[in-house]
Amino acid sequence: MRLKYTLSCFILFAFIPVGCGPKKLPPSRPSPQPASAQQVQAIRDAYYRAYPDSRVGVVIATRKPDRLVAVGEVSGADFREGETVTFIDSQQRVLTTGAIVRVLPDSVHVAYDRPTGGGRDPGVGDIMVKLPFGASTL
């Protein structure tokens, strides 16, 4: 009886680490139409003219299972955790919104909301816009 119990415990503990290891996530997928550098600059200029306090960045990585994205081409000093941002595609169509969850010196991490109305998740090359209170996308 004691041998059977010991053997059962050994087998059980031998398989526990297999299921608890970190899962390898698939690589970030690009947007269907990533914005070119010229498109990003044109969008950045248009928002700056309309709303000087706006900030525009580009999605550089995604973690779709967690609905998280990393956004680059921004200064972390311009953002605060909890701020709401909007994601648009290269044609300036709104994809979804999100909230900043981490601020780094040259990027931010954003938890985005589930897209509604048949929209899609933000992908690498899509654009994030931080607008001043009360402003709307162009």
Side-chain angles (χ1 to χ4, degrees), residues 64-67 95-98 111-122:
K64 197 169 186 172
D66 302 322
R67 289 197 330 266
L95 301 173
T96 189
T97 58
Y112 63 87
D113 302 320
R114 218 177 277 286
T116 59
R120 65 172 175 81
D121 293 337

Side-chain angles (χ1 to χ4, degrees), residues 10-58:
F10 176 76
I11 291 171
L12 179 65
F13 288 119
F15 287 102
I16 287 176
V18 173
C20 296
K23 294 179 181 171
K24 185 161 180 111
L25 295 174
S28 295
R29 294 175 58 180
S31 164
Q33 292 183 320
S36 68
Q38 294 83 7
Q39 286 174 309
V40 172
Q41 191 57 50
I43 291 168
R44 186 173 279 131
D45 292 344
Y47 274 96
Y48 185 75
R49 278 191 306 277
Y51 309 110
D53 292 338
S54 66
R55 298 294 180 264
V56 174
V58 178

Side-chain angles (χ1 to χ4, degrees), residues 3 17 22 27 48 57 77 81 93 99 110 115 121 126:
L3 179 61
Y48 185 75
E81 288 182 13
R93 291 181 293 251
V110 181
D121 293 337
D126 283 327

